[in-house]
Amino acid sequence: MTPRGDDSAGTGAGTTTPPGWSVPAHEALRAGPGFDLAGMDRRGTPGFDGDKAQGRTAMAARGETLSELQEKLYAHGRTGGDRSVLLVLQGMDTAGKGGVVRHVLGMVDPQGVSLRAFGPPTPQEAAQHYLERIRAALPAPGRIGVFDRSHYEDVLVVRVENLVPRSEWKGRYDEIVAFEEEVAARGTVVVKVMLTVSYEEQAARLRERLERPEKHWKYNPGDIDARLRWDDYQEAYQAVLDRTSTDEAPWYVVPADRKWFARLAVTELLVEALEGLGLDWPEVHLDVETELARLDATAR
Ligand code: AMP
Ligand code: MG
């Protein structure tokens, strides 16, 4: 992979590869055809050459950019624009989905973010098509929507735990691809992030949750049951990559054993997605002279 020039498509005009990155994150992390999840180094930092301290510095700097781009997106939405961004976060328990929400989305104005976490469907949700609750949670124009888990659970936990028969879930991959195409066609940039923690690191994080009383609230005995089916989950995640990584809605696979890298990588992916929109401050037709005169006239 070679670093891309200034005017490459997708990152918007005038952008350059940021400090520390040898390749833009969306190139370094994208799951292309034949991507092998099992062979990936989960402690790796693909595309980024720096260490943890450099990662932290890079993240803070890019956080400012992210925040400004998010404000532009919000302004665009407030002035009739139809663009939005949807960040889909998937990963095994302890992969760091919550940390990404806190540390990455925490750098932007919460007003512009719509966050939705998906757990097991409620009885009402279960009575509907599985994509109904997803549609209802799609971001409005101008927003960054964040899904902490998503419709992908309907081909992950559902497949591994046989919650519906294979005959029912096997058609869902194509259905999801078509759904995401439709979402993208309506102006939403879909950024799908698979946070990928290793088996060993998951054990360490679960142990920490058990050993530290202030982390007990995060511990769910069911996490061990899911861990017992690790290989089945990896196979189901691989199938997701094989069947649903499209140009309209690509998957980015982010090694997550180093939390600082996962957070930096998602920051970068969001910055690149927002830059790709090429938005500027909206042109508002305002008679500034008149308004200033009116303001002056209020002087006491
Ligand atoms: P957490 O993200 O740790 O709060 O856990 C949410 C739980 O909800 C996970 O165990 C998911 O597997 C489960 N979940 C999410 N979506 C679905 C779904 N469509 N069907 C069944 N379980 C789900
Ligand atoms: Mg959990």
Side-chain angles (χ1 to χ4, degrees):
M1 271 181 288
T2 46
R4 301 198 320 182
D6 276 2
D7 57 356
S8 49
T11 52
T15 54
T16 48
T17 309
W21 290 86
S22 54
V23 178
H26 72 272
E27 280 186 23
L29 300 166
R30 176 155 177 181
F35 182 89
D36 174 28
L37 190 57
M40 191 190 72
D41 174 10
R42 297 172 185 207
R43 280 188 68 74
T45 63
F48 188 73
D49 300 326
D51 60 13
K52 182 173 179 173
Q54 287 161 322
R56 288 255 161 91
T57 307
M59 176 142 163
R62 290 301 262 179
E64 308 244 335
T65 307
L66 180 63
S67 178
E68 185 180 321
L69 287 165
Q70 182 268 333
E71 196 179 337
K72 277 188 183 148
L73 176 63
Y74 192 78
H76 161 86
R78 286 292 297 266
T79 52
D82 64 354
R83 309 306 307 270
S84 60
V85 172
L86 175 63
L87 175 67
V88 172
L89 296 172
Q90 281 292 156
M92 298 291 286
D93 297 302
T94 77
K97 300 183 290 295
V100 162
V101 171
R102 203 162 58 249
H103 292 273
V104 179
L105 282 310
M107 297 191 293
V108 308
D109 185 344
Q111 196 170 214
V113 176
S114 60
L115 169 67
R116 174 72 199 269
F118 289 97
T122 63
Q124 290 98 312
E125 287 170 345
Q128 302 169 331
H129 189 272
Y130 70 97
L131 290 174
E132 276 312 301
R133 64 175 185 161
I134 305 296
R135 275 184 203 284
L138 289 171
R143 301 295 169 94
I144 299 179
V146 182
F147 287 175
D148 176 344
R149 302 189 192 265
S150 65
H151 43 300
Y152 284 98
E153 292 294 328
D154 294 283
V155 287
L156 289 166
V157 65
V158 165
R159 166 175 162 152
V160 171
E161 300 292 343
N162 293 306
L163 301 181
V164 307
R166 166 184 281 265
S167 58
E168 200 170 318
W169 59 251
K170 74 179 186 356
R172 290 181 175 179
Y173 298 96
D174 291 343
E175 196 171 31
I176 286 171
V177 166
F179 166 70
E180 290 175 350
E181 257 173 37
E182 187 195 308
V183 170
R186 284 202 307 259
T188 303
V189 180
V190 183
V191 180
K192 301 186 294 194
V193 171
M194 193 178 281
L195 292 170
T196 310
V197 73
S198 68
Y199 191 67
E200 298 70 32
E201 180 66 17
Q202 189 195 47
R205 292 182 188 176
L206 288 172
R207 186 173 303 282
E208 193 186 0
R209 287 184 185 180
L210 284 167
E211 288 176 351
R212 291 173 55 184
E214 75 276 20
K215 297 232 171 180
H216 281 176
W217 66 273
K218 278 195 189 182
Y219 185 78
N220 171 5
D223 294 354
I224 303 284
D225 300 306
R227 180 171 167 79
L228 282 166
R229 315 203 74 157
W230 183 268
D231 292 341
D232 294 340
Y233 271 106
Q234 296 305 306
E235 205 182 307
Y237 271 100
Q238 179 69 56
V240 162
L241 295 178
D242 293 342
R243 306 269 322 259
T244 68
S245 198
T246 62
D247 286 343
E248 290 79 13
W251 272 108
Y252 300 101
V253 184
V254 173
D257 278 11
R258 298 178 200 261
K259 288 179 181 171
W260 66 264
F261 176 73
R263 294 166 187 174
L264 173 66
V266 178
T267 302
E268 205 52 45
L269 289 169
L270 280 177
V271 166
E272 290 169 11
L274 285 160
E275 280 177 345
L277 291 175
L279 298 177
D280 219 324
W281 297 111
E283 257 191 63
V284 178
H285 298 291
L286 195 61
D287 185 343
V288 176
E289 290 305 315
T290 303
E291 295 305 315
L292 280 174
R294 291 180 65 219
L295 176 62
D296 289 342
T298 65
R300 286 184 177 169

